[in-house]
Amino acid sequence: MNSSINKSDGKSLRLNPRQRSLIVGLMLGNGVLESEDKGRTYRLKVEYPIQKREYVDWIYWQLKNLVPQKPQIEVKQSGGKSFQSYYFRTYSLGSLRFYAHQFFRTGKKVIPKLLKKLLDPVAMAVWFMDRGGTLKSTRYPTYIIDTIGYSKKELIAVKKIFQDKFGILIRIRKRYGKFCIYIYSDYAKKFKNFIEPYIISSMKYKLG
């Protein structure tokens, strides 16, 4: 099925609040926006290894009215080995242009200036399911979120948002050569309480 959509139909497809939050979380993590018409409309591509099938299906059901086809399995090659990916794409929509302008600059994903307004517990939970996990420590067990190349300056802005909007203190530290978000252990329970209602069953292990 063709994933493009004509303009009159596109105007009738609006994102509801839950979908907007979910897309913000995906943009902070592994979500990708593609355009086939020089930026007039965009479509969201959601793709993960087949092992995360339940997660992809959950995202699909949240966005079902925006998606022309159910998730598909594709066999890919990497390093001489084959693996299965599981993915879907939304329709091409003008309503996704806002997120492209916010999260992508000169071909690179960035932290948007409007993140304080856009970030909520749903978006935070999706970001955590995408990139987060438990930092196991006998003294200071807590949570971390690996970033995807965001600069330290951008993450300092995220740090202020976590503190001012959610009352959660975080630290920015390097892990495997890239910056990550480290929740101070004293605030780990508070962070968990924010996101746990939105964490799906197959991702509960990330909460420890």
Side-chain angles (χ1 to χ4, degrees), residues 31-168:
V32 175
L33 290 174
E34 305 170 331
S35 180
E36 296 179 315
D37 55 12
K38 298 182 180 180
R40 289 192 294 274
T41 62
Y42 287 83
R43 63 185 183 186
L44 172 69
K45 183 179 181 181
V46 176
E47 182 176 20
Y48 292 86
I50 191 68
Q51 292 85 349
K52 293 188 176 181
R53 183 169 188 157
E54 183 183 342
Y55 181 49
V56 175
D57 284 337
W58 176 78
I59 298 170
Y60 165 74
W61 285 106
Q62 306 294 309
L63 303 176
K64 185 181 177 183
N65 66 307
L66 309 175
V67 181
Q69 286 183 307
K70 291 182 178 180
Q72 307 289 313
I73 296 174
E74 182 178 1
V75 178
K76 293 189 171 184
Q77 300 288 329
S78 179
K81 296 181 179 180
S82 62
F83 67 96
Q84 290 182 319
S85 71
Y86 193 57
Y87 75 97
F88 69 85
R89 290 183 175 92
T90 67
Y91 291 113
S92 291
L93 300 169
S95 54
L96 291 176
R97 185 170 57 246
F98 168 79
Y99 300 94
H101 291 173
Q102 292 297 315
F103 286 92
F104 292 90
R105 304 271 175 81
T106 63
K108 182 182 178 182
K109 192 176 280 190
V110 298
I111 296 292
K113 293 181 179 179
L114 291 179
L115 185 63
K116 184 174 182 178
K117 180 179 180 180
L118 299 174
L119 190 64
D120 62 16
V122 173
M124 195 186 299
V126 173
W127 191 12
F128 182 78
M129 286 190 284
D130 255 26
R131 309 288 303 184
T134 302
L135 182 64
K136 296 178 181 179
S137 168
T138 54
R139 294 185 63 189
Y140 304 111
T142 188
Y143 302 106
I144 58 172
I145 301 176
D146 288 325
T147 65
I148 51 175
Y150 296 127
S151 69
K152 187 173 183 179
K153 182 178 179 180
E154 289 176 301
L155 293 177
I156 287 173
V158 173
K159 178 180 179 179
K160 183 171 174 55
I161 293 167
F162 268 68
Q163 181 175 338
D164 293 350
K165 188 171 183 178
F166 302 106
I168 295 172

